[in-house]
Amino acid sequence: TAAIEWAEEAHEAEPKRRDVALLLAGLLTANKSYVKAEEIYKKLIKQDKEDTEAMLYLGAVYTELKNYPKAVTAFKNLTQIKN
């Protein structure tokens, strides 16, 4: 879609911007491009091990992919973060 294309271009131009990465991953998830969204969420978590938003959405992506063991792990990791 045009929105995904725009978000991909914005993400390419500024790959460190968390808000753009989350937008792109969210659009990809809504478009059922779960594997691409998974990659983005994993990169965000690699950059910030306590990114609760990315962890939550990664767990949701794993659920959509029916990869329940990874979904459970993502959600458990989320509960281990102390805010």
Side-chain angles (χ1 to χ4, degrees):
T1 67
I4 291 174
E5 288 175 24
W6 177 87
E8 285 175 333
E9 288 174 15
H11 185 59
E12 258 184 51
E14 299 190 58
K16 299 261 186 223
R17 283 199 50 187
R18 180 180 175 275
D19 58 336
V20 174
L22 283 172
L23 173 65
L24 175 56
L27 290 168
L28 290 167
T29 300
N31 200 46
K32 300 185 188 303
S33 296
Y34 301 122
V35 174
K36 287 183 180 180
E38 172 192 6
E39 292 172 15
I40 294 169
Y41 291 131
K42 287 167 72 174
K43 284 180 185 175
L44 286 168
I45 294 165
K46 187 176 181 181
Q47 291 171 1
D48 177 3
K49 303 270 189 248
E50 295 189 356
D51 189 334
T52 55
E53 196 171 6
M55 278 184 208
L56 175 65
Y57 294 138
L58 180 61
V61 164
Y62 285 141
T63 301
E64 291 295 334
L65 290 169
K66 299 192 181 341
N67 189 335
Y68 302 118
K70 282 190 175 183
V72 168
T73 299
F75 293 134
K76 280 185 181 176
N77 289 341
L78 185 60
T79 64
Q80 302 302 314
I81 295 174
K82 299 188 184 355
N83 287 333

